Amino acid sequence: MIARVHASPFLTMRQRPARLGLVLVMLAGLAWPTAAAAADFVGHRALYRVSLNSAEARSGVASVRGAVLYRFADACDGWTAENRTLLRLGYGEGEESETEWSHLSWESKDGLRFRFHVRDIRDGELSEELEGQASLTGPRGPGLAHFVLPEESDLKLPPGTQFPTRHLMALLDAARSGRHHESGIVFDGSSLDNPYSVGAAVRPASESARRGLARRAKLAELPVWSLRLAFFPVAASEATPKFEIGITLREDGIADSIVQDFGDFVLLLTLQHVELLPKPDC
């Protein structure tokens, strides 16, 4: 979720926000869950406001305004996730740029097949487009990802690989079992940095967080978990993460606040509205 350009803070900032998509792509689900855990996830459409939580001077970021529209649905043979992000970033001396980022995906319910399509538009011009599909030989890989955009190419997925919904479901499964730390490998197709090695810390959220989220979402109270995830590109073998994400998440897969830490600046996604989707007639 973060660009590999490091020539200047300005270039780095212009590219990193597009990687926000992985946060909500992941919210489709956490390692390999029980059937009951999978059934707990609800189809929903959610709107998030994006704002600048904090920024160091070297980041070059003065302001962030934006929104994320996220849709997760049961498609009978799989799960579909759609993320549409619009960001306006302000820099020093009043300069501003706009990013439109979309990620559409389908993941089979056995967790072995995955399709994805990503478009990144910067200031009205198409900056990047990714499309392809991936498959695993069995639970937790290995497997193969085949890209048709930006060009025909294959990427081997190492043993342990999961797709986003299964990975999220696994984290919740760990939380229910009382495990506070999990690690895994995730492929979501959202960037050429894929796959990522993800380390996660999981804790129960406070009672006030559970009540507050239920009230804001106008839903019944459910257990709520606090997740902290660190993302390391598998191919880079770096000692420090490319980015970190903090999520307050209901057990049914609906997220409240999301914090994305890029090191020199931090973005905050705040739930504004959520709507449950009807179950399909499969």
Side-chain angles (χ1 to χ4, degrees):
M1 300 190 53
I2 167 172
R4 291 170 290 178
V5 177
H6 301 288
S8 72
F10 178 74
L11 287 176
T12 304
M13 247 319 295
R14 285 176 66 93
Q15 296 199 29
R16 280 182 289 186
R19 306 299 304 125
L20 264 176
L22 178 56
V23 182
L24 291 170
V25 171
M26 282 189 55
L27 296 185
L30 292 157
W32 290 85
T34 63
D40 288 342
F41 273 57
V42 297
H44 65 282
R45 179 167 40 244
L47 177 66
Y48 296 85
R49 177 171 56 88
V50 184
S51 59
L52 182 63
N53 193 53
S54 64
E56 298 179 9
R58 63 189 177 94
S59 71
V61 185
S63 65
V64 176
R65 294 175 293 125
V68 175
L69 180 61
Y70 176 71
R71 185 180 188 276
F72 174 73
D74 185 342
C76 295
D77 62 343
W79 303 103
T80 62
E82 178 179 359
N83 176 337
R84 298 190 181 277
T85 298
L86 175 63
L87 289 179
R88 290 188 175 92
L89 285 79
Y91 307 98
E93 300 179 358
E95 189 163 3
E96 190 174 71
S97 69
E98 183 175 277
T99 293
E100 298 177 55
W101 192 86
S102 65
H103 184 293
L104 308 177
S105 68
W106 172 90
E107 181 177 338
S108 64
K109 287 189 175 178
D110 62 7
L112 300 182
R113 292 170 294 147
F114 186 71
R115 297 193 299 266
F116 58 93
H117 185 198
V118 178
R119 284 174 58 88
D120 183 6
I121 298 174
R122 308 292 174 86
D123 296 322
E125 296 185 3
L126 181 63
S127 173
E128 184 177 52
E129 187 169 14
L130 305 176
E131 184 175 358
Q133 57 188 358
S135 62
L136 303 175
T137 59
R140 295 183 179 268
L144 183 72
H146 177 70
F147 288 81
V148 296
L149 290 174
E151 60 185 12
E152 291 267 355
S153 63
D154 289 331
L155 174 66
K156 290 184 179 180
L157 304 177
T161 298
Q162 299 169 307
F163 300 131
T165 301
R166 285 292 181 170
H167 178 251
L168 186 58
M169 289 176 176
L171 292 182
L172 291 183
D173 194 42
R176 296 185 189 100
S177 301
R179 301 193 302 275
H180 296 313
H181 296 91
E182 283 288 304
S183 61
I185 299 173
V186 180
F187 177 88
D188 77 313
S190 64
S191 82
L192 297 177
D193 284 335
N194 270 258
Y196 289 93
S197 176
V198 182
V202 185
R203 295 288 190 279
S206 66
E207 289 292 318
S208 61
R210 184 181 72 181
R211 291 193 297 268
L213 176 50
R215 182 177 63 254
R216 287 188 297 276
K218 299 180 181 179
L219 298 171
E221 289 188 23
L222 286 178
V224 175
W225 306 95
S226 177
L227 313 178
R228 183 73 183 186
L229 303 97
F231 291 78
F232 305 79
V234 170
S237 300
E238 296 179 0
T240 56
K242 281 287 188 179
F243 57 91
E244 296 183 58
I245 296 170
I247 309 171
T248 304
L249 183 72
R250 281 168 56 99
E251 196 163 78
D252 58 4
I254 296 175
D256 187 15
S257 62
I258 304 168
V259 175
Q260 188 164 11
D261 187 347
F262 291 105
D264 53 7
F265 73 100
V266 180
L267 298 181
L268 174 64
L269 282 71
T270 307
L271 181 66
Q272 301 296 294
H273 176 74
V274 64
E275 173 189 356
L276 299 185
L277 300 177
K279 293 184 177 180
D281 185 14
C282 299

Coordinates of all heavy atoms in Angstrom, one line a residue, residues 48-104:
Y48 N -16.4 5.7 4.5 CA -15.4 6.1 5.4 C -14.9 7.5 5.0 O -14.7 7.8 3.8 CB -14.2 5.2 5.5 CG -14.6 3.8 6.0 CD1 -15.0 2.8 5.2 CD2 -14.4 3.5 7.4 CE1 -15.4 1.6 5.7 CE2 -14.7 2.3 7.9 CZ -15.2 1.3 7.0 OH -15.6 0.1 7.5
R49 N -14.7 8.4 6.0 CA -14.1 9.6 5.7 C -12.6 9.5 6.0 O -12.2 8.8 7.0 CB -14.6 10.7 6.7 CG -13.9 12.1 6.5 CD -14.7 13.2 7.3 NE -14.8 12.8 8.7 CZ -13.9 13.1 9.7 NH1 -12.8 13.7 9.4 NH2 -14.2 12.7 10.9
V50 N -11.7 10.0 5.1 CA -10.3 10.0 5.3 C -9.7 11.3 5.7 O -10.1 12.3 5.0 CB -9.6 9.5 4.0 CG1 -8.1 9.3 4.2 CG2 -10.2 8.2 3.5
S51 N -8.9 11.3 6.7 CA -8.3 12.6 7.2 C -6.9 12.4 7.6 O -6.4 11.2 7.7 CB -9.1 13.2 8.3 OG -9.2 12.3 9.4
L52 N -6.2 13.4 7.7 CA -4.8 13.3 8.2 C -4.7 13.3 9.7 O -5.2 14.2 10.4 CB -4.0 14.5 7.6 CG -2.5 14.6 8.0 CD1 -1.8 13.4 7.3 CD2 -1.9 15.9 7.5
N53 N -4.2 12.2 10.2 CA -4.1 12.1 11.7 C -2.9 12.8 12.2 O -3.0 13.5 13.3 CB -4.1 10.6 12.1 CG -4.3 10.4 13.5 OD1 -5.3 10.8 14.1 ND2 -3.4 9.6 14.2
S54 N -1.8 12.7 11.5 CA -0.5 13.3 11.9 C 0.4 13.3 10.8 O 0.3 12.4 9.9 CB 0.1 12.7 13.2 OG 0.5 11.4 12.9
A55 N 1.4 14.2 10.8 CA 2.4 14.2 9.7 C 3.7 14.9 10.2 O 3.6 16.0 10.9 CB 1.9 14.9 8.4
E56 N 4.8 14.4 9.9 CA 6.1 15.0 10.1 C 6.4 16.0 9.0 O 5.9 15.8 7.8 CB 7.2 14.0 10.2 CG 7.0 13.0 11.4 CD 8.1 12.0 11.5 OE1 9.1 12.1 10.7 OE2 7.9 11.0 12.2
A57 N 7.2 17.0 9.3 CA 7.5 18.0 8.2 C 8.2 17.4 7.0 O 7.9 17.8 5.9 CB 8.5 19.0 8.8
R58 N 9.0 16.3 7.2 CA 9.7 15.7 6.0 C 8.7 15.0 5.1 O 9.1 14.6 4.0 CB 10.8 14.8 6.5 CG 10.3 13.6 7.3 CD 11.4 12.8 7.9 NE 11.0 11.7 8.8 CZ 10.9 10.5 8.4 NH1 11.2 10.2 7.1 NH2 10.5 9.5 9.2
S59 N 7.5 14.7 5.5 CA 6.5 14.0 4.7 C 6.1 14.9 3.5 O 5.7 14.4 2.5 CB 5.3 13.5 5.5 OG 4.5 14.6 5.8
G60 N 6.1 16.2 3.7 CA 5.6 17.1 2.7 C 4.1 17.2 2.7 O 3.5 18.0 1.8
V61 N 3.4 16.6 3.6 CA 1.9 16.6 3.6 C 1.4 17.7 4.5 O 1.8 17.7 5.7 CB 1.4 15.2 4.1 CG1 -0.2 15.2 4.0 CG2 2.0 14.1 3.3
A62 N 0.5 18.5 4.0 CA -0.1 19.6 4.8 C -1.6 19.2 5.1 O -2.1 19.6 6.2 CB -0.1 20.9 4.1
S63 N -2.3 18.5 4.3 CA -3.7 18.2 4.5 C -4.1 17.0 3.7 O -3.5 16.7 2.6 CB -4.6 19.4 4.2 OG -4.5 19.7 2.8
V64 N -5.1 16.3 4.1 CA -5.7 15.2 3.4 C -7.2 15.2 3.6 O -7.7 15.4 4.7 CB -5.2 13.8 3.9 CG1 -5.9 12.7 3.2 CG2 -3.6 13.7 3.8
R65 N -7.9 15.2 2.5 CA -9.3 15.1 2.5 C -9.7 13.9 1.5 O -9.2 13.8 0.5 CB -10.0 16.4 2.0 CG -9.8 17.6 2.9 CD -10.3 18.8 2.3 NE -9.6 19.2 1.1 CZ -10.2 19.4 -0.1 NH1 -11.5 19.3 -0.3 NH2 -9.4 19.8 -1.1
G66 N -10.7 13.1 1.9 CA -11.1 12.1 1.0 C -12.2 11.2 1.6 O -12.6 11.4 2.7
A67 N -12.5 10.2 0.8 CA -13.5 9.2 1.2 C -13.2 7.9 0.6 O -12.6 7.8 -0.5 CB -14.9 9.7 0.8
V68 N -13.7 6.8 1.3 CA -13.6 5.4 0.8 C -15.0 4.8 0.8 O -15.7 4.8 1.8 CB -12.6 4.6 1.6 CG1 -12.7 3.1 1.1 CG2 -11.2 5.1 1.6
L69 N -15.4 4.3 -0.3 CA -16.7 3.6 -0.4 C -16.3 2.1 -0.6 O -15.6 1.7 -1.5 CB -17.5 4.0 -1.6 CG -18.8 3.2 -1.8 CD1 -19.8 3.5 -0.6 CD2 -19.5 3.7 -3.1
Y70 N -16.7 1.3 0.4 CA -16.3 -0.1 0.4 C -17.6 -1.0 0.4 O -18.6 -0.7 1.1 CB -15.5 -0.4 1.7 CG -15.2 -1.8 1.9 CD1 -14.2 -2.5 1.1 CD2 -15.8 -2.6 2.9 CE1 -13.9 -3.8 1.3 CE2 -15.5 -3.9 3.1 CZ -14.6 -4.5 2.3 OH -14.3 -5.8 2.5
R71 N -17.5 -2.0 -0.4 CA -18.6 -3.0 -0.5 C -18.1 -4.4 -0.4 O -17.2 -4.8 -1.2 CB -19.4 -2.8 -1.8 CG -20.7 -3.6 -2.0 CD -21.3 -3.3 -3.3 NE -22.6 -4.0 -3.4 CZ -22.8 -5.2 -3.8 NH1 -21.8 -6.0 -4.1 NH2 -24.0 -5.7 -3.9
F72 N -18.7 -5.2 0.5 CA -18.3 -6.6 0.6 C -19.6 -7.4 0.5 O -20.6 -7.1 1.2 CB -17.6 -6.8 2.0 CG -17.3 -8.3 2.2 CD1 -16.3 -8.9 1.6 CD2 -18.1 -9.0 3.2 CE1 -16.1 -10.3 1.8 CE2 -17.9 -10.3 3.4 CZ -16.8 -11.0 2.7
A73 N -19.6 -8.4 -0.3 CA -20.8 -9.2 -0.6 C -20.6 -10.7 -0.8 O -19.5 -11.1 -1.3 CB -21.6 -8.6 -1.8
D74 N -21.6 -11.4 -0.4 CA -21.6 -12.9 -0.7 C -22.1 -13.1 -2.1 O -23.2 -12.7 -2.5 CB -22.6 -13.5 0.3 CG -22.6 -15.0 0.3 OD1 -22.1 -15.6 -0.8 OD2 -23.1 -15.7 1.2
A75 N -21.3 -13.7 -2.9 CA -21.6 -14.0 -4.3 C -21.9 -15.5 -4.5 O -21.8 -16.0 -5.7 CB -20.5 -13.6 -5.3
C76 N -22.3 -16.2 -3.5 CA -22.7 -17.6 -3.5 C -21.4 -18.5 -3.7 O -21.1 -19.3 -2.8 CB -23.7 -17.9 -4.6 SG -25.3 -17.1 -4.3
D77 N -20.7 -18.3 -4.8 CA -19.5 -19.2 -5.0 C -18.3 -18.5 -4.5 O -17.2 -19.1 -4.5 CB -19.3 -19.5 -6.5 CG -19.1 -18.2 -7.3 OD1 -19.4 -17.1 -6.8 OD2 -18.6 -18.3 -8.5
G78 N -18.4 -17.3 -3.9 CA -17.3 -16.6 -3.4 C -17.7 -15.3 -2.7 O -18.9 -15.0 -2.5
W79 N -16.7 -14.5 -2.4 CA -16.9 -13.2 -1.8 C -16.4 -12.2 -2.7 O -15.3 -12.3 -3.3 CB -16.1 -13.1 -0.4 CG -16.4 -14.1 0.6 CD1 -15.6 -15.2 0.9 CD2 -17.5 -14.2 1.4 NE1 -16.2 -16.0 1.9 CE2 -17.4 -15.3 2.3 CE3 -18.6 -13.4 1.6 CZ2 -18.3 -15.7 3.2 CZ3 -19.6 -13.7 2.6 CH2 -19.4 -14.8 3.4
T80 N -17.1 -11.1 -2.9 CA -16.7 -10.0 -3.7 C -16.4 -8.8 -2.8 O -17.1 -8.6 -1.8 CB -17.7 -9.6 -4.8 OG1 -18.9 -9.2 -4.1 CG2 -18.0 -10.8 -5.7
A81 N -15.3 -8.1 -3.2 CA -15.0 -6.8 -2.4 C -14.7 -5.7 -3.4 O -14.1 -5.9 -4.5 CB -13.8 -7.1 -1.6
E82 N -15.3 -4.6 -3.1 CA -15.1 -3.4 -4.0 C -14.6 -2.2 -3.2 O -15.3 -1.9 -2.2 CB -16.4 -3.1 -4.8 CG -16.2 -1.8 -5.7 CD -17.5 -1.6 -6.4 OE1 -18.5 -2.3 -6.2 OE2 -17.6 -0.6 -7.1
N83 N -13.6 -1.6 -3.6 CA -13.0 -0.4 -2.8 C -12.9 0.7 -3.8 O -12.2 0.6 -4.8 CB -11.7 -0.8 -2.2 CG -11.0 0.4 -1.5 OD1 -11.3 1.5 -1.8 ND2 -10.1 0.1 -0.6
R84 N -13.5 1.8 -3.6 CA -13.3 3.0 -4.4 C -12.9 4.2 -3.5 O -13.6 4.6 -2.6 CB -14.6 3.4 -5.1 CG -15.0 2.3 -6.1 CD -16.2 2.7 -7.0 NE -16.6 1.6 -7.9 CZ -16.0 1.3 -9.1 NH1 -14.9 2.0 -9.5 NH2 -16.4 0.3 -9.8
T85 N -11.7 4.7 -3.7 CA -11.1 5.7 -2.8 C -10.8 7.0 -3.6 O -10.3 6.9 -4.7 CB -9.7 5.2 -2.3 OG1 -10.0 4.0 -1.5 CG2 -9.0 6.2 -1.5
L86 N -11.2 8.1 -3.0 CA -10.9 9.4 -3.6 C -10.2 10.2 -2.5 O -10.7 10.4 -1.4 CB -12.2 10.1 -4.0 CG -12.0 11.6 -4.5 CD1 -11.2 11.6 -5.8 CD2 -13.4 12.3 -4.7
L87 N -9.0 10.7 -2.9 CA -8.2 11.4 -2.0 C -7.7 12.8 -2.6 O -7.3 12.8 -3.8 CB -6.9 10.6 -1.5 CG -7.1 9.4 -0.6 CD1 -5.8 8.8 -0.4 CD2 -7.7 9.9 0.7
R88 N -7.7 13.8 -1.8 CA -7.1 15.1 -2.2 C -6.0 15.4 -1.2 O -6.3 15.6 0.0 CB -8.2 16.2 -2.3 CG -9.1 16.0 -3.5 CD -10.0 17.2 -3.6 NE -10.9 17.1 -4.8 CZ -12.1 16.5 -4.8 NH1 -12.6 16.1 -3.7 NH2 -12.8 16.4 -5.9
L89 N -4.8 15.5 -1.7 CA -3.7 15.8 -0.8 C -3.1 17.2 -1.0 O -2.9 17.6 -2.1 CB -2.6 14.8 -1.0 CG -2.8 13.3 -0.5 CD1 -3.7 12.6 -1.4 CD2 -1.5 12.6 -0.4
G90 N -3.0 17.9 0.1 CA -2.4 19.2 0.0 C -0.9 19.2 0.5 O -0.6 18.5 1.4
Y91 N -0.1 20.0 -0.2 CA 1.3 20.0 0.1 C 1.7 21.5 0.4 O 0.8 22.4 0.4 CB 2.1 19.6 -1.1 CG 1.7 18.2 -1.6 CD1 0.9 18.0 -2.7 CD2 2.2 17.0 -1.0 CE1 0.5 16.8 -3.1 CE2 1.8 15.8 -1.4 CZ 1.0 15.7 -2.5 OH 0.6 14.4 -2.9
G92 N 2.9 21.8 0.7 CA 3.4 23.1 1.0 C 3.1 24.0 -0.2 O 3.0 23.6 -1.4
E93 N 3.0 25.3 0.1 CA 2.7 26.3 -0.9 C 1.4 26.2 -1.7 O 1.3 26.6 -2.8 CB 3.9 26.4 -1.9 CG 5.3 26.7 -1.2 CD 6.4 26.7 -2.2 OE1 6.2 26.5 -3.4 OE2 7.5 27.0 -1.8
G94 N 0.5 25.5 -1.1 CA -0.9 25.4 -1.6 C -1.0 24.4 -2.8 O -2.1 24.3 -3.3
E95 N 0.0 23.6 -3.1 CA -0.2 22.6 -4.2 C -1.0 21.4 -3.7 O -1.0 21.0 -2.6 CB 1.2 22.1 -4.6 CG 1.1 21.3 -5.9 CD 2.5 21.1 -6.5 OE1 3.5 21.6 -6.0 OE2 2.5 20.5 -7.6
E96 N -1.8 20.9 -4.6 CA -2.8 19.8 -4.3 C -2.8 18.8 -5.4 O -2.6 19.2 -6.6 CB -4.2 20.4 -4.1 CG -5.2 19.4 -3.5 CD -6.5 20.0 -3.1 OE1 -7.2 20.4 -4.1 OE2 -6.8 20.2 -2.0
S97 N -3.0 17.6 -5.1 CA -3.1 16.5 -6.1 C -4.3 15.6 -5.7 O -4.8 15.6 -4.5 CB -1.9 15.6 -6.2 OG -1.7 14.9 -5.0
E98 N -4.9 14.9 -6.7 CA -6.0 14.1 -6.5 C -5.8 12.7 -7.0 O -5.2 12.5 -8.0 CB -7.2 14.7 -7.2 CG -8.5 13.9 -7.0 CD -9.7 14.5 -7.7 OE1 -10.3 15.5 -7.1 OE2 -10.1 14.1 -8.8
T99 N -6.2 11.7 -6.2 CA -6.0 10.3 -6.5 C -7.4 9.6 -6.5 O -8.1 9.8 -5.5 CB -5.1 9.6 -5.5 OG1 -3.7 10.1 -5.7 CG2 -5.0 8.1 -5.8
E100 N -7.7 8.9 -7.5 CA -8.9 8.0 -7.6 C -8.3 6.6 -7.7 O -7.6 6.3 -8.6 CB -9.8 8.3 -8.7 CG -10.4 9.7 -8.7 CD -11.2 10.0 -10.0 OE1 -12.1 9.2 -10.2 OE2 -10.9 11.0 -10.7
W101 N -8.7 5.7 -6.7 CA -8.1 4.4 -6.7 C -9.3 3.4 -6.5 O -10.2 3.6 -5.7 CB -7.1 4.2 -5.6 CG -6.3 3.0 -5.6 CD1 -5.1 2.8 -6.2 CD2 -6.6 1.8 -4.9 NE1 -4.7 1.5 -6.0 CE2 -5.5 0.9 -5.2 CE3 -7.6 1.4 -4.0 CZ2 -5.5 -0.4 -4.6 CZ3 -7.6 0.1 -3.5 CH2 -6.5 -0.8 -3.8
S102 N -9.3 2.3 -7.3 CA -10.3 1.3 -7.2 C -9.7 -0.1 -7.2 O -8.7 -0.3 -7.9 CB -11.4 1.5 -8.3 OG -10.8 1.2 -9.6
H103 N -10.3 -0.9 -6.4 CA -9.9 -2.3 -6.4 C -11.1 -3.2 -6.3 O -11.9 -3.1 -5.4 CB -9.0 -2.6 -5.1 CG -8.4 -3.9 -5.0 ND1 -9.2 -5.1 -4.8 CD2 -7.2 -4.4 -5.1 CE1 -8.4 -6.1 -4.7 NE2 -7.2 -5.7 -4.9
L104 N -11.3 -4.1 -7.3 CA -12.4 -5.0 -7.4 C -11.8 -6.4 -7.3 O -10.8 -6.7 -7.9 CB -13.2 -4.9 -8.7 CG -13.7 -3.5 -9.1 CD1 -14.4 -3.5 -10.4 CD2 -14.6 -2.9 -8.0

